[in-house]
Amino acid sequence: MAENNNEMLDMLALQLSSASAPPFMFVGSGFSQRYIGIPSWKELLSLFCASIKPFKYYLSKSNSNLPLASSFMADDFFEMAWANKEYRNELEQIDIKSKSDVIKFYISKYISDLYEKRLVEDLHPVEIQKLETLSVDSIITTNWDCFLEDLFQGYTTYVGQDELVSSNPHGIGEIYKIHGCISRPSSMVLTKEDYYEFQKKYAYLAAKLATFLVEHPIVFVGYSLQDENVKQIVENLAACLGDNVQERLRNNLIFVQRRGKGRIDGIETTQFKVHDYNIPMTTVTTDDFGIVYDAIKSVKRKVPARILRFLKEEIYQIVKKNEPKGRISVADINDIDSD
């Protein structure tokens, strides 16, 4: 195990540079909690119980199943909101297609307001500066807020499964918000019904993402190893690769976690149990995530991801047309990012 920051950086940089393609990031709720102070899912739900029943009521009624608790809350919040004149006047101005859309609207409004009032400079400013200079190929996230879009400006964003499946993602310079976004409250995966619909369609999403993920290292940030989203993505990769899973994913899964709860700083290879496979995963334990971002940045590339994505899209559109009229200009690769 590496025991100091420089050694950790060197080991991680070497691992990433030996991969056949630049990394993807898989970003969870801990990322937004760390950098912009967004409450955890449980904390967020408890905030919206003030005008209905206590959160413990919903938690116990659902046997601590948060999607089911969210469903119970959504029903009660719907009735409360329409009975309240102030809420009702606001709801009459928006498009509502289901009961859960009401609580989603107010959750999205709360997160948006919180984000606008944030003091980013007080929350790991050096790490944020490093994030803004990264050129990862793409980001997959279950977060609802728009922090990633602000960090990775110029990246194309896909919201929800339907948009990703029906579009033409290129795996470069893109953000996949698979659980929806506050910019479209109805897209947010929150309730038991939302998760049911998500799982029903997940096979199509997994197949689309797997074509990218088997070729790229995946850096998990903002998740715990017990998180269902982590387990699901690794399980799908294992299913796609079968007996070759250990060899194909060796050094390609990198999990970043904070120090604490018996964990000490270091980088080591651990085993992630998926069905009949023990999949090797590199675990990075540190309170300075800047080490990870420096390692990612050390993977040099001539062309930024957002420009590569633009070029791929242009070529795709030209080839797709029966009578292409577009043109591709040729320039020295060192001048490609110039105006």
Side-chain angles (χ1 to χ4, degrees), residues 10-35:
D10 291 343
M11 290 178 64
L12 194 55
L14 179 62
Q15 181 173 331
L16 289 170
S17 64
S18 65
S20 60
F24 269 48
M25 288 181 69
F26 200 99
V27 174
S29 60
F31 185 89
S32 293
Q33 291 172 42
R34 182 178 183 85
Y35 296 119

Side-chain angles (χ1 to χ4, degrees), residues 1-4 7-8 11 264-270 283 285:
M1 175 186 286
E3 296 181 350
N4 62 68
E7 187 178 354
M8 289 169 65
M11 290 178 64
I264 60 174
D265 283 7
I267 177 170
E268 60 182 341
T269 299
T270 56
T283 303
T285 303

